[in-house]
Amino acid sequence: MNKPINIFEYGSLAIQHLSQMALDYYASGAWDEITLQDNRTAYERYKLRPRMLVNVSQRNLTTKILGQHIKMPILIAPMAFQCLAHPEGELATARVAADLGTIMVLSTMSTKNLEDVALAPNVPKNFWFQLYVHRDRGLTRALVERAEAAGYQALCLTVDAPILGRRERDRRNKFTLPSDMELANLTSMANLEIPQTEDESGLFAYVANQLDPALTWGDIDWLQSLTSLPIVVKGILREDDAIRAVEHGAKGIIVSNHGGRQLDGAIATLDALPEVVAAVGHQVDVLMDGGIRRGTDILKALALGAKAVLIGRPVLWGLAVDGEAGAGHLLELLRDELEVAMALSGCAKIEDIDSSLVRYI
């Protein structure tokens, strides 16, 4: 079989390798999936304005996020239940991140436990741990302590899920995990699992029962008291929330609408990015996710002020098609596309990318 040559081909092939329940879980958005689609089409509203006659014979994609040096401004977003795509799941993704010299953000709801993931590669690692705050604050504290002890470099606090958005594909499928998979970070601590339900997504029921809908800005202060790790706040779409996050000690912000999976009709992340960068980009690193499928998409995000982007669903397509090799190849395709787009825009290094490269049409 010839290797796919772009992310869209990986997406088409992944359909053949995933169960309907897994495919719908990965691909779906909330309600009418308007925000899911808008995350993608937002990139079409921004046009590139390339510079000419610039020496781009030597190109460099390296950058630094929270003081961590990485080889490309492309991180792997936190994604739950990666073993639905491939038996190696998060272990394979961790090896890819290490091989490519970038950061992987491990989900609280991973199907491999955080200690095993941290030990997966045999090279220095830049892993972050994504945190959902549970009603059981003792459980949350224990997760933070485990992540710090295992060598994770930051906590990524998701703040846009006080309750779960209504994902009708999951509801129709009564989504739950197969019997041979588990919430690997949680079953050993509190025997938590995704329930089976008669008329609802099991994940919806889990979030309603376990995650804390009373989370406030003060809880960031509480988390700061538990750990020396920097806290990155994920799920910000407004300048006032960005300012509050920084005031409460956040060292980074991820502009995100949860891949269109929470509030349908929410602003596309690329459209929200400039406002957040203008508010706090001079104080903390601002990253973004959502809808990225080409290197030119990444270039536009960087031009609008993102220090780096996070890739979610496409990594799962790569895993589904060819495991670790597929996920690695997919990210290499994105990296190479970004390098070409930079060269054709007159940018030899990441620092050459600025807002003059894009225009909103």
Side-chain angles (χ1 to χ4, degrees), residues 64-69 103 128 153-155 229-232 250-253 284-287 307:
K64 192 162 63 172
I65 303 294
L66 298 191
Q68 298 174 243
H69 291 276
I103 294 167
W128 297 355
Q153 299 298 301
L155 288 179
L229 294 178
I231 293 177
V232 177
K251 297 299 187 291
I253 286 174
V284 299
D285 289 343
V286 177
L287 298 84
K307 287 292 295 293

Side-chain angles (χ1 to χ4, degrees), residues 20-333:
Q20 190 64 50
M21 182 177 289
L23 177 64
D24 284 345
Y25 170 71
Y26 287 153
S28 64
W31 280 324
D32 297 312
E33 302 187 343
I34 294 168
T35 297
L36 174 68
Q37 299 303 320
D38 202 31
N39 272 354
R40 176 77 203 112
T41 57
Y43 295 94
E44 299 173 10
R45 298 194 284 269
Y46 293 84
K47 306 302 180 182
L48 291 166
R49 302 175 62 245
R51 304 184 187 101
M52 299 302 154
L53 295 175
V54 177
N55 182 353
V56 292
S57 58
Q58 300 295 320
R59 298 176 294 279
N60 187 348
L61 272 63
T62 61
T63 190
K64 192 162 63 172
I65 303 294
L66 298 191
Q68 298 174 243
H69 291 276
I70 54 177
K71 293 183 179 179
M72 59 182 183
I74 305 170
L75 285 64
I76 299 176
M79 296 168 286
F81 314 146
Q82 293 182 30
C83 284
L84 289 172
H86 188 274
E88 293 255 292
E90 293 86 358
L91 299 179
T93 309
R95 290 191 291 266
V96 167
D99 288 345
L100 295 180
T102 192
I103 294 167
M104 172 190 177
V105 189
L106 182 74
S107 172
T108 291
M109 295 184 182
S110 60
T111 39
K112 300 292 184 182
N113 76 57
L114 65 91
E115 289 85 3
D116 288 345
V117 171
L119 294 172
N122 292 318
V123 295
K125 56 190 178 294
N126 289 326
F127 294 157
W128 297 355
F129 184 71
Q130 177 270 333
L131 183 69
Y132 285 115
V133 175
H134 284 67
R135 294 174 188 265
D136 182 346
R137 292 307 178 90
L139 174 63
T140 302
R141 178 193 292 268
L143 284 170
V144 171
E145 291 171 348
R146 285 174 60 193
E148 187 163 11
Y152 287 76
Q153 299 298 301
L155 288 179
C156 180
L157 175 65
T158 294
V159 297
D160 61 2
I163 64 173
L164 202 68
R166 294 282 183 165
R167 305 164 196 172
E168 292 181 347
R169 294 198 231 178
D170 287 348
R171 185 177 185 182
R172 184 176 298 109
N173 294 332
K174 300 180 177 60
F175 175 83
T176 192
L177 285 178
S179 59
D180 60 342
M181 295 181 199
E182 63 181 12
L183 293 170
N185 293 319
L186 300 166
T187 51
S188 61
M189 298 172 63
N191 201 32
L192 298 182
E193 60 184 21
I194 304 296
Q196 293 186 342
T197 61
E198 288 299 319
D199 59 357
E200 186 55 85
S201 156
L203 181 60
F204 187 92
Y206 176 90
V207 171
N209 291 330
Q210 301 297 335
L211 300 194
D212 191 351
L215 198 67
T216 68
W217 293 107
D219 290 303
I220 299 180
D221 302 329
W222 173 70
L223 286 174
Q224 298 275 9
S225 74
L226 303 181
T227 181
S228 61
L229 294 178
I231 293 177
V232 177
V233 176
K234 178 178 180 290
I236 298 296
L237 295 170
R238 297 163 50 115
E239 67 173 329
D240 52 353
D241 280 347
I243 291 169
R244 288 190 187 95
V246 173
E247 289 174 346
H248 284 275
K251 297 299 187 291
I253 286 174
I254 301 175
V255 177
S256 175
N257 55 33
H258 218 104
R261 293 159 71 80
Q262 284 295 97
L263 177 63
D264 199 25
I267 187 172
T269 49
L270 192 69
D271 291 332
L273 177 62
E275 174 181 329
V276 174
V277 170
V280 300
H282 60 293
Q283 297 175 270
V284 299
D285 289 343
V286 177
L287 298 84
M288 69 150 287
D289 65 16
I292 293 166
R293 299 296 182 267
R294 286 287 190 183
T296 49
D297 300 337
I298 301 172
L299 181 60
K300 291 172 183 179
L302 298 179
L304 290 172
K307 287 292 295 293
V309 301
L310 295 93
I311 307 300
R313 290 179 177 95
V315 176
L316 299 171
W317 308 152
L319 274 180
V321 171
D322 196 17
E324 179 181 342
H329 180 240
L330 182 143
L331 287 170
E332 288 170 353
L333 287 174

